[in-house]
Amino acid sequence: MTDRRVAVIGTPGKWSTEVLADHLEARTGFRCVVDMAEVVLELETGRLRFGDLVLNELDGVIVKKISEVYSPAADDRIRMLSALEADGVRCFSSPQQIGRLINRLEGTSALARAGVALPTTRVTENAEAALAILDEFGKAILKPLYSTKARGMMVLDARDGPGANREKLSRFRAEHGLFYLQKFVHLGGQDLGMVFLGGEYLCTYARVGDAGAWNTTIHSGGRYEPYQASAELIELGRRAQACFELTFTTVDIALTDQGPVVFEVSAFGGFSGARKGCGIDAAEQLVDYVLNDFGKNE
């Protein structure tokens, strides 16, 4: 038992948030789940208040979830948390690093600069340019800059013709703005989630898609299964997550006809895949890592 006071930034009532708080309480006797929607930042002092609790007086926070959906508002919450880090509160992961992944373009741009294999990707504000890109790709996934679990994503097929696709682009722009287009890759019914803790490889699980879905997310009916990753595949995941100094993350990898590609590095990482696909309690291991890290810095 340690007397460290570490809060969970997350979604009250959600399993992944609560199981993390459970493990912290068992190890420290302290339990606090912070909903960022209820936090007040005092700019003149840099203090963040959650009810009667001043978060700046904590030893640390584990950032499990900043929002149910990614949006510019989620990025604002990350900027609020930066005040804690500036005040010396240990943040797992760093708000600065998480912020690089909230916006899809910033995250994948970092991966591209590092030479990590990605699906062919084009970004533009111009609808006619987007149609030309679609003709080049033949089939593409149109992705919002802020989204998780394939929410808001749209499959575009050049065979539908420029009229139909121009209308889809117009609807997309009205809601999301910029066109972020990735060449459609065939997943073979599954993609992989590769889990890292403190930069070290933990496990890999497969997300196996529902027969009627184009993506494999659990949100769209997929399921978790174990997967034995090769050393080469693990190295790809390691290179991808190394672009960001995250305490805990999942790297999404697809096995395509042209070789493996990285879809994204998660800003937060999930516990369900590791548990259901690999039988690993990643939340417990994350708490062990965080509390041990305090000991290293004493």
Side-chain angles (χ1 to χ4, degrees), residues 156-197:
L156 298 180
D157 194 323
R159 293 173 299 181
D160 293 337
N165 285 317
R166 189 176 284 109
E167 182 180 345
K168 291 177 183 178
L169 289 170
S170 179
R171 292 202 308 269
F172 184 91
R173 172 188 277 160
E175 184 173 358
H176 302 293
L178 197 71
F179 302 126
Y180 178 106
L181 294 137
Q182 281 192 332
K183 188 173 182 179
F184 189 92
V185 296
H186 295 281
L187 301 179
Q190 72 172 15
D191 69 347
L192 309 177
M194 189 172 288
V195 185
F196 289 86
L197 175 60

Side-chain angles (χ1 to χ4, degrees), residues 55-259:
L55 300 184
N56 309 60
E57 297 173 357
L58 296 172
D59 294 299
V61 296
I62 300 177
V63 188
K64 182 62 194 80
K65 203 75 171 178
I66 202 68
S67 173
E68 278 301 288
V69 295
Y70 286 6
S71 68
D75 190 54
D76 293 340
R77 291 179 177 184
I78 288 295
R79 294 176 189 278
M80 290 173 66
L81 278 181
S82 296
L84 288 185
E85 197 168 39
D87 211 18
V89 178
R90 301 288 300 284
C91 297
F92 305 90
S93 295
S94 165
Q96 181 181 4
Q97 295 299 324
I98 292 172
R100 296 173 64 202
L101 288 163
I102 293 294
N103 180 295
R104 175 169 277 109
L105 179 56
E106 183 170 356
T108 50
S109 293
L111 294 171
R113 287 194 298 271
V116 174
L118 301 168
T120 304
T121 305
R122 302 285 184 271
V123 182
T124 183
E125 295 183 36
N126 186 286
E128 296 307 312
L131 287 170
I133 292 164
L134 180 57
D135 283 338
E136 175 191 347
F137 288 176
K139 196 173 183 180
I141 307 297
L142 183 59
K143 299 183 175 184
L145 293 190
Y146 297 94
S147 76
T148 59
K149 297 180 172 57
R151 294 184 181 97
M153 295 184 187
M154 181 185 299
V155 178
L156 298 180
D157 194 323
R159 293 173 299 181
D160 293 337
N165 285 317
R166 189 176 284 109
E167 182 180 345
K168 291 177 183 178
L169 289 170
S170 179
R171 292 202 308 269
F172 184 91
R173 172 188 277 160
E175 184 173 358
H176 302 293
L178 197 71
F179 302 126
Y180 178 106
L181 294 137
Q182 281 192 332
K183 188 173 182 179
F184 189 92
V185 296
H186 295 281
L187 301 179
Q190 72 172 15
D191 69 347
L192 309 177
M194 189 172 288
V195 185
F196 289 86
L197 175 60
E200 297 299 320
Y201 174 73
L202 201 59
C203 66
T204 300
Y205 56 85
R207 283 178 294 253
V208 181
D210 180 80
W214 63 266
N215 67 78
T216 63
T217 64
I218 305 305
H219 182 71
S220 297
R223 66 184 185 279
Y224 296 118
E225 291 186 359
Y227 187 88
Q228 189 66 41
S230 67
E232 293 77 14
L233 206 57
I234 293 171
E235 181 57 25
L236 173 62
R238 192 185 308 279
R239 285 179 54 222
Q241 63 85 38
C243 295
F244 314 95
E245 297 173 11
L246 299 168
T247 305
F248 180 79
T249 188
T250 302
V251 182
D252 290 347
I253 298 176
L255 304 178
T256 75
D257 295 339
Q258 288 75 44

Side-chain angles (χ1 to χ4, degrees), residues 24-83:
L24 279 168
E25 184 177 21
R27 293 286 302 279
T28 69
F30 179 79
R31 182 189 185 91
C32 179
V33 173
V34 176
D35 182 350
M36 284 300 295
E38 305 298 326
V39 171
V40 176
L41 168 63
E42 298 175 352
L43 284 177
E44 68 277 12
T45 64
R47 286 195 294 258
L48 274 77
R49 295 186 178 274
F50 177 64
D52 295 332
L53 180 67
V54 178
L55 300 184
N56 309 60
E57 297 173 357
L58 296 172
D59 294 299
V61 296
I62 300 177
V63 188
K64 182 62 194 80
K65 203 75 171 178
I66 202 68
S67 173
E68 278 301 288
V69 295
Y70 286 6
S71 68
D75 190 54
D76 293 340
R77 291 179 177 184
I78 288 295
R79 294 176 189 278
M80 290 173 66
L81 278 181
S82 296

